[in-house]
Each structure stands twice: as C-alpha cells, then as structure tokens.
Amino acid sequence: MIKTVDPNQISQPELHSIMLTAVAPRPICFASTVDKEGNVNLSPFSFFNVFSSNPPVMIFSPSRSGRDNSLKHTHENVKEVPEVVINIVNHDMVEQMSLSSTTYDKGVNEFVKAGFTQVPSEKVKPPRVGEAPVSFECSVMEVIELAQTPGAGNLIMAKVELIHINEAYFTNGILDTEKLDLVGRMGGSWYIRASKDALFEIPKPLRTKGMGVDALPKGIRESEVLTGNNLGRLGNMEQLPSKEDVVDIIQDPEVKTLSKIELHRLAQRILEEGNAQRAMSILLYAETL
C-alpha cells in the first residue's frame, strides 16, 4: 500500500518531519558567522550540500522557526557580514556540535558554550572550528529567502575562498573517507556515522559504459535469487564474459554439481565479494542447464 500525501493538506511540523526523515542522511554545515558588532555565532544546519567545484560553491539553508517564525542568527549575520566558515563535522565532535544548536540568546558565543577552539580565519572575519577535520572559508554570494512563513528556508550561497584540512585525515596525500569518520543527520534526533560497516563501494561508470540490465539474458534478469542491486552491479559490466571464461567455469568441480538455483546463489555470493566477472560466468553457465 502507498500513502499519498498532499503537502498543502498537512501541518508544517508534520510535513517537516516527513521530509527530513525521508531525505537522509544529510551532511552537516557547521557554520560560524559574525554580526556587524563582531559577535561570533556557531550553528549547525543539515539543509546543506556542495553544488559546484568551479566555481567552488556550497549552499546551506537556515530555516525560519516553525514555532515563532523567527530568523536564525546565522541568517541575520550573513546579511550584515556576508562571510561564513563552513566547518565539517565528524564523530569526535558530534555531541559538542549538537549542544551548539541550542537556541542561545543573540550575542552568546557557541564556541564557548560547546567547548570548541576558536581559530582565526585568514580571508574572512568569522573564525573556524579548530576541532573540525575540514573548514571552508567562504564569501556569501547571495541569500535567497524562499518565503516569510514558518519553516521557510533561506538559501545562503557560499563561495569557497580558502580550505583548511587537518593532515591527520590524509592517506598518501588524499583525503581519506574512512579516517574522516563523518556524521550525517537523519530524522528526529537520529544521526548516522559514515564508518566501518556503514561504508561500501560501488564502481562508478565514469570511464566505462555499463551494458545495462536490459543486456542481461532473460533468465538472469528474472532470477528468483538475484536482487535489484545484484542486477545493477552486473549491468555495470561493459560486456558479457567470453565463451572461454564460461568454459573455465565448467571445469570447476564445485560448479558442475550445482543446480541452476544453487548456481544463482553461488554467483550472488561471489558478486557480493566483488568478483562480477566470475559471477556472470557462473550465471551464463546456469543459462545452459
């Protein structure tokens, strides 16, 4: 059963909950700003992503309060001083980051409240978070206010002017996903940790052109064992294995004793271990039975 929801027929809090639970995980923009008096503010936002690398542009959105329609201090600050440092959040600092999201009075420095180290920036006025694995000094290109109603977003387009990276998160000169141990925002009070079993790789079809699921033999496409993910990985191959590859499979004593459905299960296991070529050869052999 599918429940269909008209966003115009439910309350803003209910709509907010559905959208933020369904659209996740979301990266976290830990934004430091200053007002025209020089008061520092630090606050996290999960309406955030990178939108361009040339020019390098990120966008985040401090929404109006769903309770009283007030503006976030970050929003007010970037209109007064159009600069921001976007600090990236990892697991080592997530509890402190969450504490900084408390609705403190204007002028209260969340660096102090949350126990973060305030490090002077080089090109912009707002300081950066010393504990962050990566920090982006940015100039604000534009602020787009989507509406004046509770929950309305305010898109802050930030152009990256300088990047600071803690070298502890490099491996052989490359920023290492596993070492970063980033966190993402889920619905409600939930977060996700991007490490260990939560990480998995999928070969990206950039330099090659996958033949597609439609190019797989019918018996493989309609397998009772293989999942959609399995078919997607097979379809990412450039071409089917050669007849010689299939003949080699037939010489395997383990393979020759199996039924067709058992061959599909074996191929699935081998495919999930990362050997698509051998898995496909087994499946093609199974098609001859």
Side-chain angles (χ1 to χ4, degrees):
M1 296 288 290
I2 297 293
K3 179 179 180 180
T4 301
V5 178
D6 183 340
N8 297 305
Q9 299 300 316
I10 59 175
S11 67
Q12 185 272 329
E14 185 178 0
L15 177 59
H16 182 88
S17 176
I18 291 173
M19 293 181 70
L20 271 65
T21 302
V23 184
R26 299 182 304 282
I28 299 169
C29 165
F30 201 19
S32 49
T33 58
V34 297
D35 64 16
K36 60 185 177 182
E37 305 299 329
N39 295 307
V40 174
N41 182 265
L42 180 64
S43 188
F45 302 95
S46 67
F47 290 0
F48 163 61
N49 221 309
V50 55
F51 286 83
S52 172
S53 59
N54 187 22
V57 175
M58 299 178 177
I59 300 178
F60 68 101
S61 178
S63 298
R64 286 176 172 267
S65 169
R67 295 184 293 274
D68 61 12
N69 201 29
S70 61
L71 296 174
K72 298 289 193 299
H73 296 148
T74 300
H75 180 192
E76 296 174 330
N77 286 356
V78 298
K79 294 179 73 173
E80 294 181 4
V81 179
E83 297 175 341
V84 60
V85 177
I86 295 176
N87 303 280
I88 301 303
V89 179
N90 67 1
H91 191 263
D92 286 345
M93 56 190 287
V94 66
E95 293 278 359
Q96 289 172 276
M97 178 277 297
S98 178
L99 174 59
S100 74
S101 68
T102 303
T103 308
Y104 292 113
D105 292 337
K106 185 172 177 58
V108 172
N109 187 337
E110 287 84 2
F111 275 90
V112 176
K113 285 292 185 182
F116 283 117
T117 304
Q118 190 169 303
V119 180
S121 295
E122 296 181 26
K123 290 194 173 184
V124 299
K125 294 181 180 67
R128 57 189 176 89
V129 176
E131 290 77 7
V134 186
S135 296
F136 300 87
E137 294 187 23
C138 304
S139 58
V140 174
M141 303 168 65
E142 187 176 0
V143 179
I144 302 174
E145 299 179 348
L146 300 180
Q148 308 301 313
T149 51
N154 302 281
L155 308 186
I156 297 176
M157 299 179 64
K159 181 183 177 185
V160 177
E161 304 291 355
L162 199 64
I163 307 171
H164 303 276
I165 308 171
N166 187 326
E167 292 185 353
Y169 299 99
F170 281 106
T171 297
N172 298 324
I174 298 174
L175 195 56
D176 190 318
T177 292
E178 292 187 79
K179 285 184 178 179
L180 278 173
D181 198 12
L182 301 179
V183 294
R185 194 73 170 85
M186 306 295 285
S189 59
W190 290 95
Y191 290 80
I192 189 168
R193 184 177 186 179
S195 67
K196 299 179 181 177
D197 291 343
L199 293 173
F200 59 94
E201 284 189 286
I202 299 176
K204 297 183 71 173
L206 296 178
R207 297 177 179 84
T208 61
K209 184 178 290 185
M211 61 183 168
V213 172
D214 59 328
L216 301 177
K218 182 179 179 182
I220 297 176
R221 295 198 312 270
E222 297 180 356
S223 171
E224 296 178 4
V225 174
L226 301 176
T227 66
N229 279 336
N230 295 150
L231 296 178
R233 177 63 64 93
L234 293 170
N236 194 39
M237 297 177 64
E238 290 189 86
Q239 59 187 14
L240 294 172
S242 66
K243 291 182 180 179
E244 289 75 16
D245 291 326
V246 178
V247 169
D248 288 342
I249 288 297
I250 298 174
Q251 307 309 315
D252 187 328
E254 177 189 15
V255 170
K256 293 174 67 173
T257 63
L258 300 178
S259 67
K260 185 170 184 176
I261 194 166
E262 288 172 332
L263 286 169
H264 276 229
R265 292 193 183 105
L266 173 63
Q268 183 182 52
R269 176 173 60 79
I270 292 173
L271 180 64
E272 292 175 350
E273 290 172 353
N275 194 338
Q277 183 79 9
R278 180 171 173 78
M280 181 73 88
S281 296
I282 292 172
L283 292 168
L284 290 177
Y285 167 60
E287 288 295 286
T288 66
L289 299 181

